[in-house]
Amino acid sequence: GNSVTQMEGPVTLSEEAFLTINCTYTATGYPSLFWYVQYPGEGLQLLLKATKADDKGSNKGFEATYRKETTSFHLEKGSVQVSDSAVYFCALSEGFNAGNNRKLIWGLGTSLAVNP
Amino acid sequence: GAGVSQSPSNKVTEKGKDVELRCDPISGHTALYWYRQSLGQGLEFLIYFQGNSAPDKSGLPSDRFSAERTGGSVSTLTIQRTQQEDSAVYLCASSLAGRSEAFFGQGTRLTVV
């Protein structure tokens, strides 16, 4: 079945460091790919998404490119801030038979701590 | 409301008791999802509603779990005869028809003692 694998945390970085969180997936067809973020004490929020191969999603300085050849969707940010400390989840959409909505298949999450 | 609302935010219950968890989705969102997040596990899909019907219940772990949605809005997830392994954060999300982007509530943390 479809699955998502992301790098284990926790990841600890100093402010202004470069961030990469790896995510690879296994899927049939052409899923959409997502990164969600969960800040301390808050609910999950969509960070960025990509719906087809070679698409690049970006938001708040974060980027991820949908790479079909390597089945990857790695999250990157050039210069992290303390406020980026959160748990990051990679996910893919999986089709339903009815309607066009799709449930999400999730990675286990990667905790990021950024120190000043 | 502005976002997805879940209640209660925390629930401690004794093993064997029944619990009801409530989700109030974003107004106008026809799709509603329940997920479960256990310690050390990723988010696990439980059930999906389109309107009041549930075309995919494949994630419900046992017949002790059930969910309903009324009026195309509020949904209730019921767990009967709770077990300790049911302890988790139960998350609800909603989305517009045909859209994959889901908006999440803050979850209900269920602890079965």
Side-chain angles (χ1 to χ4, degrees):
Chain A
N2 296 349
S3 66
V4 174
T5 302
Q6 62 181 103
M7 64 187 284
E8 291 186 23
V11 174
T12 303
L13 296 173
S14 297
E15 207 165 22
E16 300 183 3
F18 185 86
L19 169 71
T20 299
I21 300 178
N22 289 340
C23 172
T24 57
Y25 67 91
T26 302
T28 55
Y30 300 93
S32 294
L33 301 174
F34 304 84
W35 278 99
Y36 277 80
V37 58
Q38 189 170 30
Y39 297 104
E42 299 186 17
L44 279 163
Q45 304 173 25
L46 178 67
L47 180 60
L48 53 84
K49 67 178 181 181
T51 58
K52 61 183 187 295
D54 300 325
D55 266 4
K56 178 186 285 187
S58 61
N59 186 24
K60 299 182 181 180
F62 291 88
E63 293 183 339
T65 301
Y66 190 146
R67 301 284 189 201
K68 191 161 176 63
E69 64 275 15
T70 54
T71 61
S72 65
F73 193 55
H74 303 323
L75 182 68
E76 296 182 336
K77 186 173 185 181
S79 176
V80 294
Q81 305 299 312
V82 172
S83 58
D84 294 326
S85 298
V87 181
Y88 293 81
F89 293 89
C90 185
L92 65 81
S93 65
E94 186 176 79
F96 284 125
N97 291 326
N100 291 319
N101 287 90
R102 287 155 168 76
K103 66 185 178 187
L104 295 172
I105 306 299
W106 299 81
L108 295 183
T110 302
S111 175
L112 170 67
V114 180
N115 297 321
Chain B
V4 177
S5 177
Q6 291 187 246
S7 61
S9 54
N10 279 285
K11 176 72 176 179
V12 180
T13 190
E14 292 182 353
K15 179 180 171 181
K17 300 281 191 184
D18 297 352
V19 294
E20 283 191 354
L21 312 180
R22 176 188 168 105
C23 173
D24 208 332
I26 293 172
S27 178
H29 282 195
T30 57
L32 185 148
Y33 312 78
W34 283 99
Y35 292 88
R36 179 169 72 173
Q37 186 176 23
S38 304
L39 192 62
Q41 305 284 326
L43 275 78
E44 174 189 12
F45 168 78
L46 298 178
I47 188 170
Y48 155 65
F49 286 92
Q50 181 62 42
N52 291 336
S53 63
D56 190 342
K57 308 178 184 179
S58 63
L60 294 178
S62 75
D63 59 8
R64 295 186 295 106
F65 287 72
S66 63
E68 64 175 14
R69 189 179 185 194
T70 55
S73 181
V74 172
S75 177
T76 302
L77 177 68
T78 301
I79 309 172
Q80 295 179 308
R81 306 181 302 282
T82 51
Q83 303 295 313
Q84 287 186 329
E85 62 262 28
D86 300 334
S87 297
V89 177
Y90 289 81
L91 293 167
C92 177
S94 69
S95 66
L96 290 167
R99 299 290 296 272
S100 297
E101 177 178 347
F103 294 82
F104 283 80
Q106 296 208 15
T108 294
R109 181 175 298 278
L110 175 66
T111 304
V112 182
V113 298

